[in-house]
Each structure stands twice: as structure tokens, then as C-alpha cells.
Amino acid sequence: MPADEPDRPLNRSDLADELQAAVRAREELSRDEERFLIETFLQRLDVEIDARIQARISSRSERKSVNPAAILPVVLVFAIPLSAIAAGTAGLTGLIVAWISIVIVTFVASHGWNDR
């Protein structure tokens, strides 16, 4: 691995090839050169691990956000008939329960669940 090569993420086969080369070269090196070889390989491995962690973090944080204004027409389409049915069958109590449910569903749809 050249010293002027920039740190870039490696794929699994690149890491395997680099490790095999390091193990083969280790037999021919002095103690200081061996330490340098090991440190260099570990630095490359750190770059790879960091890149994979960053990729996982960014893929989890790329949640599609929904514009609350886009949800409003859908909510109204369902809220009007649900209100009529709830008020007609259960009176004021049914209407209150229906609207509490509508508010909860609207909030969850516009803000989403937190993935943990």
C-alpha cells in the first residue's frame, strides 16, 4: 500500500488481499518495519469500519418526511364520514372518540415513529 494513497473505504476482498500481503511481507521485515506495516493496515481497517458505520447511520437517518399539508386532504376525506357515523351511532361520545383517533393518526402520519 503506497504511503501517498488517500484513505478510502475498501471492500472485503481488498482488505483480505492487503492482509495476506502484509502477512507475507512480515517475514522479510525488521521489527520497526513490521510495526509500521501493522499500524498502516490497522489504520486502513479503521477507515473501512468508520465508513461502514457512517453508511449505516446515514441510511437510518434518511427517513422520508411527509409534509403535514399533504396529509390534510386525506384526513378530511376520512374525518367527515367517520364523524357522521360516530355521531349517528354513539352520539357525542362517539364523535369525541372518533376525533381523538383522527388527531392521533394524523400526528403519527405526519411525524412518524422514532426507530430505535
Side-chain angles (χ1 to χ4, degrees):
M1 162 178 43
D4 61 339
E5 185 178 319
D7 287 341
R8 63 172 176 76
L10 299 172
N11 64 34
R12 188 175 184 90
S13 83
D14 287 343
L15 283 172
D17 292 344
E18 192 171 324
L19 180 59
Q20 288 174 353
V23 169
R24 283 192 302 266
R26 183 176 174 242
E27 298 168 357
E28 302 169 9
L29 300 175
S30 69
R31 184 117 18 228
D32 289 336
E33 292 171 328
E34 180 181 347
R35 282 190 199 127
F36 176 77
L37 182 70
I38 291 170
E39 277 300 314
T40 305
F41 179 77
L42 290 177
Q43 288 173 353
R44 299 289 292 193
L45 193 57
D46 284 343
V47 168
E48 175 63 22
I49 291 169
D50 290 343
R52 289 182 186 193
I53 289 172
Q54 189 61 41
R56 283 188 181 177
I57 290 171
S58 65
S59 71
R60 286 183 182 173
S61 65
E62 290 176 1
R63 226 178 19 163
K64 295 180 182 177
S65 62
V66 177
N67 183 0
I71 295 173
L72 187 59
V74 176
V75 169
L76 289 175
V77 165
F78 288 104
I80 293 169
L82 285 174
S83 298
I85 293 168
T89 57
L92 182 61
T93 306
L95 185 62
I96 291 171
V97 169
W99 272 97
I100 289 173
S101 301
I102 291 167
V103 168
I104 290 171
V105 169
T106 304
F107 180 80
V108 170
S110 64
H111 292 87
W113 293 105
N114 285 336
D115 299 1
R116 298 212 187 245

